[in-house]
Amino acid sequence: MPSRDTTDGVNRRTVLKSTAVGGVAFLAGCSEGDAPAADDGANGGSGDGDSRHWIGAQGSEAPNYNVFRITDVTSSNRVSRVMDPAYTIDEDGEIVYRLVRDIEVGDDFTEFTFTLTEYGEWSDPYGQMTAEDWVYSITEIIQGEDNWATVSMDDDFRMGVDAVPDGFEAADEDGDEAWFNVEETGEFEFTIETPEPYPSFLEEPIIWGFQEVVPRELAEPYVEDRDGDGLNEDDEIQDLAYTGNLGAFTPEVLETEARMYAPRNDDYYLRNYDGHEDSPHMDEWTYQVMREEATRLSAIQSGEITNTDIPARRAEEFEGMDDVQVIGTPTVYCQSMFYNMRSDGWDALNTTEVRQALTMAVDRQSIVDNIQHGYGTVAHTLQPEYSEFYDDSQVVQWEYDPDGARERLEQHLPSPYGYSDGRVVDGDGEEVVLDFVFSDSAEATELTARYIQDEFDENLGLAVELEPVPWNSMLNEFFYTAPADARDWDLMAGIGRNSYPRAPEATESYWRATDEPWDTANAYGYDDPQGIADILTESAQETDPEARQENLAEVYGILSEEQPWNFLYFPEDLNGYRAHVEPTEDPSISWGYDIHRWEIESEQ
């Protein structure tokens, strides 16, 4: 299930779908660390206890409803309730059609034709949703010149090339990238042509999960004036007032910092298709923000909310309750500690052996056992072991070895660093103190940070100073900020990045080296000496499945050796629901894709 980051105006690939706060995937309305208050019927909620009213928790405010700029999961989840994506993927890895009803793939994997539903209607006065709207949003806004609309996914509709082929336009000044051709081929049909074969295109988060489309008539004035701020501030955009019958619910209350209330959409387009005649199976949907974990857990116990996440340390307690069910789902998000390898970080972090030593100094199995309470697995690279692209023969597993870690660090510390009285010091004999910034949104993140601090101190003689900060501040003031403007950091935790086990090529942007990495998903400044990004780009164009598998196995072997991050663990998400909720799907990494058909009965 795709998910996120939280900075507007940054040119980076797949950010919306790449990052999780504190390692928790916000699926089916679950949210890390916070709880909604009981609905009292105000602002549109029924509050009478008799309706099939879903009340889900969210852990942060929804900063933006502009679908072209959304980079956070809170806003994304709210949009998903009132507007469907093009298509999604089920627990078996099969495509599930939504606004797109059919897909044809050319034999050479360069042409993809999408047929839209004929039952889609925008809100008045925009009429029927057609391919013209989709093509216009992609070509004029997402592919707009100089990214005038400051969209967050402008890299999705282009690819690297040796030379721009005839019939395609260069997407950068050097001619190293070419735009996809996107054309309307029928009233409800459009075709995307790629300059090179792209066999994994449908599994990558480009059209999969795509919602970045608005009525052409609504967008035209802003496109003509290249007015990105005007588009962003438009009332219909920010109120999601254009979504018509395109989602299971209709937005009625959108309080950015507090809640969203949406009643059932009786005109939902999906009701025209077999198996969806009664969708959605809920009468009302509320997302509500509250930040206290104790209140959240009390609320689900008392029946004031429908679902929330369950912290691992409380799982056994809640699993024993008659009126609450706990469902565990695998996650695609790897909890890691990032290293600042830019000019404003500790320069020793640019040495591979130093990073290896830091990995060896941390007992990651202890983190899984004692902080995650066994709900997770140690990560050795950016692929979970259940992935078909994880190859044991390629992956290096750095075992916990305090003595070996200290020896490796001492041998490979670059000049002028060294040891004095058992402590790591600089050239002036002053003790090195690393700044470790982490998100304050999850207790598990803080416990992990404090554990790593102790491990580095005891096993390496390396001092670490901790700084908990809000999620948005961590990204906006530290991570996605140029060294001259960023606050000090050397280590960072609380970001769980999507491993994309179905389409690992989507991780290419994590490693792509640039002159200004803080404007990319590689904001930590990894210089990619082994050419991982290029291998992933080549893999995306590989039509031979065996060759593709070999390429990806090589990538994840290199990453395990290089340790550009300290890959810590893949957590298991624990979702708590009231007992009367009946999911229609099996637990999987796609959990929640079919939620509009879940059964939810009134509690008496």
Side-chain angles (χ1 to χ4, degrees), residues 42-80:
N43 297 323
S46 69
D48 58 12
D50 294 328
S51 69
R52 297 178 299 173
H53 187 175
W54 185 287
I55 305 176
Q58 288 190 317
S60 60
E61 65 186 43
N64 199 327
Y65 291 119
N66 177 359
V67 292
F68 299 104
R69 289 191 182 182
I70 289 176
T71 54
D72 70 289
V73 72
T74 306
S75 304
S76 177
N77 275 353
R78 294 186 182 196
V79 172
S80 294

Side-chain angles (χ1 to χ4, degrees), residues 197 204 382 425 514 546 554 589:
E204 291 213 27
L382 192 62
V425 298
T514 68
E546 290 186 7
E554 178 187 5
I589 61 174

Side-chain angles (χ1 to χ4, degrees), residues 65 68 117 130-131 164 171 180 250 259 286 300 303 306 330 381 406 441 457 501:
Y65 291 119
F68 299 104
T117 179
T130 67
V164 178
F180 298 166
T250 300
R259 71 194 295 265
T286 292
I300 194 167
T306 310
T381 187
R406 189 184 187 95
S441 63
D457 184 77

Side-chain angles (χ1 to χ4, degrees), residues 120-130 132-133 214-222 234-237 240-244 246:
E121 296 283 343
W122 300 110
S123 302
D124 289 338
Y126 301 113
Q128 195 168 25
M129 181 192 71
T130 67
E132 181 182 25
D133 299 309
V214 299
R216 173 170 179 162
E217 186 180 345
L218 171 59
E220 270 185 330
Y222 303 108
D234 184 275
D235 288 342
E236 289 184 274
I237 294 289
L240 299 173
Y242 57 87
T243 55
L246 303 181

Side-chain angles (χ1 to χ4, degrees), residues 456-517:
F456 283 3
D457 184 77
E458 295 174 9
N459 298 334
L460 299 174
L462 182 59
V464 172
E465 185 173 299
L466 300 180
E467 183 176 0
V469 297
W471 165 256
N472 287 351
S473 297
M474 186 171 72
L475 294 182
N476 297 337
E477 299 173 24
F478 296 85
F479 196 59
Y480 290 121
T481 302
D485 302 317
R487 294 167 61 183
D488 293 339
W489 72 280
D490 300 295
L491 312 173
M492 183 174 290
I495 298 176
R497 278 224 157 140
N498 200 330
S499 62
Y500 292 106
R502 293 194 181 106
E505 292 88 354
T507 65
E508 174 267 335
S509 62
Y510 300 170
W511 322 113
R512 176 70 64 187
T514 68
D515 293 334
E516 297 182 347

Side-chain angles (χ1 to χ4, degrees), residues 290-452:
M290 186 173 287
R291 301 189 179 280
E292 295 298 326
E293 180 183 272
T295 305
R296 171 174 57 85
L297 296 179
S298 176
I300 194 167
Q301 283 182 263
S302 64
E304 296 174 11
I305 63 175
T306 310
N307 96 290
T308 187
D309 70 295
I310 302 297
R313 71 183 189 283
R314 304 282 301 274
E316 186 174 349
E317 171 190 347
F318 278 85
E319 286 171 347
M321 295 179 182
D322 292 334
D323 49 2
V324 176
Q325 55 182 317
V326 179
I327 299 176
T329 58
T331 181
V332 298
Y333 295 98
C334 182
Q335 275 297 292
S336 304
M337 180 176 66
F338 291 167
Y339 302 120
N340 186 353
M341 293 170 278
R342 314 181 313 187
S343 62
D344 57 336
W346 186 38
D347 52 352
L349 294 170
N350 287 285
T351 302
T352 300
E353 290 82 3
V354 169
R355 299 192 301 267
Q356 293 169 348
L358 300 188
T359 295
M360 295 166 65
V362 177
D363 188 348
R364 293 170 293 160
Q365 188 61 55
S366 180
I367 293 175
V368 171
D369 292 342
N370 298 314
I371 297 177
Q372 286 300 113
H373 297 267
Y375 293 99
T377 57
V378 170
H380 302 288
T381 187
L382 192 62
Q383 277 295 282
E385 293 187 39
Y386 64 72
S387 167
E388 63 180 298
F389 304 110
Y390 184 99
D391 186 342
D392 280 322
S393 68
Q394 298 274 354
V395 172
V396 178
Q397 298 189 8
W398 298 97
E399 300 298 336
Y400 181 51
D401 182 0
D403 293 337
R406 189 184 187 95
E407 180 180 353
R408 183 176 291 263
L409 183 61
E410 190 166 5
Q411 290 178 352
H412 294 283
L413 276 173
S415 177
Y417 304 105
Y419 272 91
S420 177
D421 295 329
R423 309 298 296 176
V424 178
V425 298
D426 61 19
D428 297 324
E430 297 293 329
E431 184 172 20
V432 171
V433 180
L434 302 187
D435 294 307
F436 190 170
V437 175
F438 61 91
S439 169
D440 64 5
S441 63
E443 182 184 47
T445 301
E446 179 171 357
L447 292 174
T448 298
R450 295 193 181 283
Y451 182 77
I452 291 173

